[in-house]
Amino acid sequence: MRTAIAFALFVAVFLFIFEPFGTGGMDWKWRTLNALIFGLVTASGILICASIGRFWPDWFGEERWILGKEGRRRFTDKEKAPRD
C-alpha cells in the first residue's frame, strides 16, 4: 500500500510541476484536480495488480507461466537449448 501511495504521489507531483499533455494552460485548480486523478488511477492500478495474488493465488502458480519456464530452460540447460 505504501508503494502505491508513493507512486501516486510521484505521478501527481510530476504532472503538477512539469505540466505535460497541455495542462499548462489549465487553471491551477483544474491542473491540481487532473494531477490528483492521475495519481488516484495510478494507485488503483497498482493496488488491483497487487491484490490479484491475494484473491487468486493460483494465478501466479508456476505451472501457468510457461514463458518463464522456457526462459529458464534456455539459460540453464545449454545442451537442450536450441541454437539461434
Side-chain angles (χ1 to χ4, degrees), residues 6-24:
F7 274 104
L9 284 174
F10 173 77
V11 167
V13 169
F14 183 89
L15 290 176
F16 187 77
I17 291 174
F18 293 107
E19 303 172 353
F21 313 120
T23 58

Side-chain angles (χ1 to χ4, degrees), residues 57-70 72:
D58 293 337
W59 184 266
F60 293 106
E62 191 173 331
E63 63 276 354
R64 291 182 55 95
W65 294 92
I66 297 169
L67 183 63
K69 284 183 179 180
E70 179 67 23
R72 280 193 308 252

Side-chain angles (χ1 to χ4, degrees), residues 2-58:
R2 285 187 239 177
T3 304
I5 293 171
F7 274 104
L9 284 174
F10 173 77
V11 167
V13 169
F14 183 89
L15 290 176
F16 187 77
I17 291 174
F18 293 107
E19 303 172 353
F21 313 120
T23 58
M26 292 181 174
D27 185 35
W28 72 271
K29 292 178 186 177
W30 291 110
R31 190 173 67 214
T32 304
L33 180 64
N34 187 25
L36 291 175
I37 289 173
F38 272 100
L40 182 64
V41 168
T42 300
S44 299
I46 291 172
L47 290 173
I48 288 170
C49 289
S51 66
I52 288 174
R54 291 185 183 170
F55 292 116
W56 295 286
D58 293 337

